């Protein structure tokens, strides 16, 4: 276990070096997996802390973000979620589940023509609001949708 | 990590609709082993990068609550038939997987 942890620490250290190399223009992004994993935000246990960790605290409510998710999910282990941002200049989409142990599920950053759209499947521990935060033009916007879960997907 | 990522990319107008399925257990680290009562260590994909003809179009950070055998769908404007989509993923153990597909 300890050995594993060492290896993990070492590899995160290496990822940092890679990020520096990209910044210095030595490596083209795409050749390597770039930015370091945001451990603080993903380990946060409240939505507020996760949003703070992602620098999107105080996001404004917006009607231009569409969340397509079931009203009732029979199986919380696989909940399809589709997010479309109609906000011009959308650069990233974050998906959070307020009542999960770690609310932040995923963050997607778009570039070079990728549209403000993402579709994925997530785990939900219980009935909760699915919160989406969109970054566009340096500002953060948010909306949410409640999904009722009949069987939880985390912890069993 | 079990090998395998499936990608399908179709062109609709000038927008590439990309769908990818990755083969991964996505263990949260919150579940207990039914026999030993010990927590099963977390094992999940935490980084995903997608490129179109070598240019990064999508960069994602994931937590453990992306569902098992993750599905990822995204759209890229300004794509053409034959353009190459490559997706690279790495998990919290540093294990890598990748897939590629030409847009049809």
């Amino acid at each position: 276990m300890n050995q594993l942890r060492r290896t993990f620490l070492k590899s995160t250290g290496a990822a940092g070096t890679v990020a520096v190399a990209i910044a210095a223009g030595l490596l083209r992004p795409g050749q390597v997996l770039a930015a370091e994993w945001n451990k603080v935000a993903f380990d946060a246990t409240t939505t507020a802390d996760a949003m703070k960790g992602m620098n999107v605290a105080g996001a404004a409510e917006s009607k231009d973000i569409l969340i397509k998710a079931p009203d009732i999910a029979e199986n919380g282990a696989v909940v399809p979620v589709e997010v479309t941002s109609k906000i011009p200049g959308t650069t990233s989409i974050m998906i959070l589940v307020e009542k999960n142990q770690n609310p932040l599920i995923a963050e997607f950053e778009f570039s070079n023509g990728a549209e403000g759209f993402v579709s994925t499947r997530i785990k939900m521990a219980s009935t909760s609001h699915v919160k989406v935060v969109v970054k566009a033009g340096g500002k953060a916007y948010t909306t949410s949708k409640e999904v009722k879960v009949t069987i939880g997907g985390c912890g069993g | 990590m079990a090998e395998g990522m499936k990608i399908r990319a179709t062109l609709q107008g000038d927008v590439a609709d990309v769908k990818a399925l990755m083969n991964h257990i996505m263990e949260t680290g919150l579940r207990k082993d039914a026999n030993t009562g010990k927590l099963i260590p977390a094992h999940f994909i935490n980084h995903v990068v997608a490129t179109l003809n070598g240019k990064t179009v999508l960069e994602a950070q994931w937590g453990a609550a992306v569902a098992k055998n993750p599905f990822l769908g995204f759209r890229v404007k300004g794509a053409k038939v034959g353009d190459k989509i490559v997706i690279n993923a790495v998990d919290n153990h540093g294990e890598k997987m990748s897939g590629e597909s030409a847009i049809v």
Side-chain angles (χ1 to χ4, degrees):
Chain A
M1 187 63 214
N2 233 345
Q3 186 52 43
L4 237 171
R5 185 162 175 271
R6 275 304 108 200
T7 324
F8 177 72
L9 288 175
K10 243 200 238 156
S11 64
T12 38
T17 322
V18 167
V20 169
I22 289 171
L26 296 172
L27 287 168
R28 264 190 315 124
Q31 284 180 328
V32 280
L33 297 169
E36 232 174 303
W37 194 63
N38 192 333
K39 191 172 174 7
V40 174
F42 279 102
D43 281 351
T45 52
T46 65
T47 308
D49 283 350
M51 285 174 70
K52 221 182 279 169
M54 296 305 278
N55 278 322
V56 291
E61 287 286 329
S62 170
K63 289 201 170 75
D64 292 326
I65 307 166
L66 307 178
I67 304 176
K68 203 170 129 191
D71 293 328
I72 298 172
E74 277 180 23
N75 182 359
V78 189
V79 183
V81 177
E82 206 175 280
V83 180
T84 309
S85 167
K86 290 185 173 169
I87 302 168
T90 294
T91 51
S92 71
I93 290 178
M94 284 156 240
I95 301 174
L96 301 99
V97 172
E98 294 183 349
K99 293 212 178 128
N100 271 13
Q101 183 151 344
N102 303 116
L104 183 59
I105 308 266
E107 192 238 0
F108 304 88
E109 280 175 35
F110 310 103
S111 50
N112 294 314
E115 298 190 330
F117 165 88
V118 74
S119 171
T120 188
R121 297 198 286 240
I122 64 172
K123 290 174 207 159
M124 292 181 66
S126 62
T127 296
S128 168
H129 274 92
V130 173
K131 191 176 181 70
V132 168
V133 179
V134 166
K135 269 208 264 188
K139 284 191 182 147
Y141 303 89
T142 183
T143 193
S144 64
K145 177 188 192 320
E146 191 183 40
V147 176
K148 288 199 168 68
V149 174
T150 46
I151 308 169
C154 294
Chain B
M1 189 194 314
E3 280 301 312
M5 185 188 303
K6 278 187 215 157
I7 304 173
R8 179 173 297 165
T10 52
L11 198 67
Q12 281 154 17
D14 69 336
V15 177
D17 186 36
V18 184
K19 294 186 170 85
L21 255 182
M22 305 167 200
N23 201 343
H24 200 282
I25 185 162
M26 298 301 283
E27 191 59 63
T28 58
L30 305 174
R31 285 197 319 143
K32 277 185 182 155
D33 187 303
N35 296 320
T36 62
K38 283 188 185 155
L39 282 176
I40 304 169
H43 187 195
F44 57 96
I45 294 175
N46 56 10
H47 259 133
V48 180
V49 175
T51 61
L52 172 74
N53 291 338
K55 269 195 200 166
T56 301
V57 288
L58 178 85
E59 215 180 312
Q61 293 192 40
W62 286 357
V66 170
K68 183 178 177 180
N69 297 332
F71 169 79
L72 171 66
F74 60 97
R75 293 175 185 153
V76 189
K77 210 173 159 59
K80 300 184 302 294
V81 166
D83 283 358
K84 199 166 94 172
I85 295 275
V86 175
I87 299 178
N88 280 295
V90 63
D91 68 20
N92 65 328
H93 293 183
E95 291 166 19
K96 290 175 185 159
M97 70 193 316
S98 68
E100 62 174 80
S101 175
I103 296 172
V104 291

